[in-house]
Amino acid sequence: MVSRVIPVDPFDLIIFGGTGDLARRKILPGLFRRFCSGQMPLNARIIGAARADLGKVDYQDMMRNAISEFDTNRNVENAQLDIFLAQLDYVSVDVRGDDGWSDLAALIRKDCINAYYFSVSPGLFGDIASRLNAWGLATPKARIVVEKPFGRDLESAKNLNAVLSAQFQENQIYRIDHYLGKETVQNLMAVRFGNLLFEPLWNAQYIDHIQITVAETVGVGGRGTYYDKSGAMRDMVQNHLMQLLCLIAMEPPSHFDPDAVRDEKLKVIRSLAPVEAYHVVRGQYDATLAKNSYRDDAENPRSFTESYVAIKTHIENWRWSGVPFYLRTGKKLKARSSEIAIVFKKLPHSIFGKSSDEKQNVLAIQLQPNEGMTLDVTIKEPGPGGMRLIHVPLDMTFADALGEHSEESPDAYERLIMDVIRGDQTLFMRGDEVEAAWKWTDPIIKAWETRNDVPKLYDVGSAGPEDAMALIHRDGRRWREVK
Ligand code: NAD
């Protein structure tokens, strides 16, 4: 098969926090895959910059181990890995001081793209930005990639935006939300705006409601101390779920162009109605036999942090007037599943009798574990004996539908890093988007804090707290099964 991969321009990618968990599990294995696919030119360089006192060869060895351990999608070929590793370098740098910066500055080539990945704790983002400037590295060719979390409320996000924009233009700042790098998430736009079929139905006249679910089976694991200061609202809703909601609800942009897309997403966030207290349910997983509770995992016996949130919200505009959006996300639930379900209205009249008019078409878009889409349609049950109707899914699992092409589908991180090098910001959050998202979530969090809200307990391995079921049952609707 002829490769459709177009190599990017030569670059130096400097990874601050290049020895950390994210670099080892996602960034380096992702870059190796891009290298194997022919997208990374041989004169590109990846420079790890972190506190550890390592030499170039030590770093190459560390990343050899990381890639062998975490690149689960392919059998690592040693010959290719050797060539890739030869493109790696390392500088020991303290981003809080000046140690190592002159070595780093001397290493970076001025005649190619310079991308700086801030894969360190958010408290260090400002230090890196100002030192890049002080060492003459914040050039017009430079771009910075900023990891999540981007602030913990509106005020801190504004401060961070101000710190970064003091050194860099907005078109040099890439705020990562890896959900946007998922193949299916981009397919949301392709489905909506590349087909005539759906868009005429994509409004309050035909859609009954929308459900967005991000369910995890894992708990807070080793991130307990960090997570306990954050919770599901900050960790998942403000960024990932809001981004999914924007892509479903936005108006068609005039072009598939970064600012045109982001302008439309911003309008959605700004149109979200403030959420009433009785439209939010917070939960915390409880211990079951042999399973830890959230408080055990977070090592905080008095924690009131939520590991689960369910919200009912509305978008106040013509397209979505009266259509509820139900969002939920949680940890240690019964299955790992991320899904967006567009539930269409019931038939206005059924010619087949009472039983058939209860059925609703559902377009379900699965983000994980398997990426794909199903459209539930009503058909006649095969066989003699009258007109009995059944509901069946038209199934399109991408791996099946795309066959060999699905193997080329890059992981979210590798796609996003290549977008940074290409200078394409479409799948990155703009500063005003992040601030608008915090402006919507802040009052919800503040209300919990003010009344010392106690999260509802739910069993490990369940579908979430009972109150979350009631949230949707009250409206005569049901959550889709998490499976
Ligand atoms: P980590 O603690 O594993 O690694 C931190 C890195 O920062 C190390 O390489 C360390 O040497 C470096 N570092 C710390 N202080 C430094 C200093 N003063 N000067 C230079 N280097 C310094 O963290 P991580 O899990 O890799 O996370 C990195 C960032 O990515 C964080 O912002 C995190 O929120 C975000 N993130 C991580 C994950 C993940 O799966 N690990 C997922 C999403 C987002």
Side-chain angles (χ1 to χ4, degrees):
M1 191 188 63
V2 180
S3 172
R4 292 169 294 140
V5 174
I6 302 167
V8 294
D9 290 336
F11 63 85
D12 280 354
L13 171 66
I14 298 88
I15 307 172
F16 292 104
T19 58
D21 178 68
L22 186 67
R24 287 182 296 109
R25 274 193 316 112
K26 291 287 179 187
I27 303 176
L28 268 299
L31 285 163
F32 178 54
R33 273 166 60 92
R34 291 293 87 205
F35 171 83
C36 293
S37 74
Q39 197 168 17
M40 221 180 100
L42 281 171
N43 57 354
R45 290 188 318 171
I46 298 158
I47 302 169
R51 251 188 328 201
D53 186 15
L54 302 175
K56 178 174 171 170
V57 176
D58 303 323
Y59 189 61
Q60 290 171 344
D61 284 345
M62 184 191 250
M63 292 308 131
R64 181 189 295 280
N65 293 337
I67 291 167
S68 306
E69 184 177 354
F70 295 115
D71 187 17
T72 48
N73 290 341
R74 57 165 43 246
N75 292 323
V76 175
E77 287 175 30
N78 280 331
Q80 274 193 305
L81 186 53
D82 286 343
I83 305 172
F84 171 76
L85 291 173
Q87 294 180 242
L88 265 56
D89 211 329
Y90 180 82
V91 184
S92 172
V93 166
D94 182 357
V95 301
R96 286 229 149 113
D98 284 323
D99 289 353
W101 280 91
S102 61
D103 295 343
L104 182 63
L107 203 56
I108 293 168
R109 296 173 296 179
K110 306 290 178 295
D111 57 349
C112 68
I113 295 164
N114 298 159
Y116 299 95
Y117 199 129
F118 294 12
S119 182
V120 292
S121 79
L124 301 176
F125 293 167
D127 291 295
I128 302 179
S130 45
R131 286 209 162 68
L132 283 173
N133 188 38
W135 286 89
L137 299 171
T139 64
K141 273 202 168 173
R143 50 207 72 169
I144 60 172
V145 185
V146 187
E147 261 302 332
K148 82 165 212 186
F150 199 91
R152 55 174 285 108
D153 53 19
L154 177 59
E155 194 189 342
S156 54
K158 275 186 169 171
N159 289 341
L160 185 51
N161 272 333
V163 167
L164 298 181
S165 57
Q167 323 293 353
F168 296 94
Q169 303 292 319
E170 181 61 35
N171 65 8
Q172 296 177 285
I173 306 173
Y174 292 72
R175 296 173 193 79
I176 251 185
D177 181 334
H178 73 273
Y179 261 62
L180 290 179
K182 288 181 183 288
E183 190 70 22
T184 329
V185 173
Q186 293 164 72
N187 241 321
L188 261 178
M189 287 187 274
V191 166
R192 280 195 62 193
F193 306 127
N195 295 287
L196 189 64
L197 201 60
F198 296 110
E199 199 50 27
L201 306 178
W202 213 263
N203 55 54
Q205 198 180 345
Y206 295 103
I207 292 179
D208 178 71
H209 73 279
I210 288 176
Q211 297 186 18
I212 303 178
T213 302
V214 178
E216 298 177 288
T217 47
V218 292
V220 290
R223 298 169 67 218
T225 347
Y226 155 76
Y227 190 93
D228 204 40
K229 294 193 199 86
S230 159
M233 192 73 180
R234 290 189 171 98
D235 193 50
M236 296 298 290
V237 179
Q238 185 274 344
N239 37 50
H240 306 320
L241 273 79
M242 292 281 275
Q243 288 295 320
L244 298 179
L245 179 127
C246 286
L247 293 177
I248 296 164
M250 71 184 188
E251 294 300 312
S254 54
H255 296 94
F256 189 60
D257 147 288
D259 275 326
V261 171
R262 297 186 302 175
D263 285 347
E264 296 306 336
K265 281 163 57 194
L266 180 62
K267 284 186 210 160
V268 173
I269 305 176
R270 287 185 173 159
S271 309
L272 280 169
V275 174
E276 306 286 351
Y278 57 93
H279 284 160
V280 189
V281 176
R282 315 165 73 213
Q284 194 184 73
Y285 58 82
D286 198 8
T288 44
L289 284 176
K291 302 276 183 191
N292 277 352
S293 69
Y294 171 84
R295 290 175 173 194
D296 296 330
D297 286 350
E299 296 175 26
N300 179 0
R302 300 167 63 83
S303 173
F304 285 157
T305 302
E306 78 285 356
S307 59
Y308 179 101
V309 187
I311 300 178
K312 173 184 171 185
T313 185
H314 282 96
I315 295 171
E316 294 181 320
N317 65 16
W318 276 41
R319 183 188 285 267
W320 296 113
S321 178
V323 179
F325 284 71
Y326 300 96
L327 320 179
R328 63 179 163 160
T329 181
K331 293 195 175 292
K332 288 221 172 161
L333 295 175
K334 65 193 275 200
R336 173 173 175 251
S337 160
S338 298
E339 184 196 75
I340 299 163
I342 291 103
V343 183
F344 290 89
K345 289 197 164 161
K346 291 179 182 166
L347 293 177
H349 166 73
S350 170
I351 65 169
F352 303 110
K354 189 85 188 97
S355 62
S356 68
D357 64 3
E358 292 300 310
K359 301 283 185 204
Q360 287 164 274
N361 297 115
V362 179
L363 176 66
I365 299 153
Q366 285 91 28
L367 309 176
Q368 56 191 26
N370 299 316
E371 301 194 46
M373 239 183 254
T374 54
L375 177 63
D376 287 359
V377 291
T378 302
I379 59 164
K380 177 187 170 299
E381 189 176 348
M387 195 64 155
R388 287 189 307 273
L389 303 183
I390 51 168
H391 222 42
V392 292
L394 290 180
D395 197 338
M396 201 181 87
T397 306
F398 292 153
D400 296 342
L402 301 177
E404 59 178 326
H405 292 288
S406 70
E407 296 203 352
E408 295 166 24
S409 169
D411 167 81
Y413 273 96
E414 55 187 280
R415 173 196 309 278
L416 292 172
I417 296 170
M418 287 300 116
D419 280 357
V420 172
I421 305 300
R422 276 196 298 261
D424 184 345
Q425 290 188 303
T426 311
L427 301 176
F428 295 84
M429 294 178 295
R430 208 169 54 192
D432 49 5
E433 253 184 276
V434 181
E435 289 184 14
W438 280 122
K439 199 171 172 184
W440 183 74
T441 40
D442 264 9
I444 304 173
I445 298 171
K446 293 258 155 64
W448 292 338
E449 288 170 355
T450 311
R451 59 170 195 264
N452 286 328
D453 192 77
V454 181
K456 311 286 179 207
L457 295 178
Y458 62 96
D459 285 342
V460 169
S462 71
E466 285 300 319
D467 291 46
M469 308 307 142
L471 174 78
I472 191 165
H473 289 175
R474 280 202 295 268
D475 298 342
R477 301 184 176 98
R478 308 188 73 77
W479 289 113
R480 284 168 60 81
E481 196 187 344
V482 177
K483 55 183 179 189

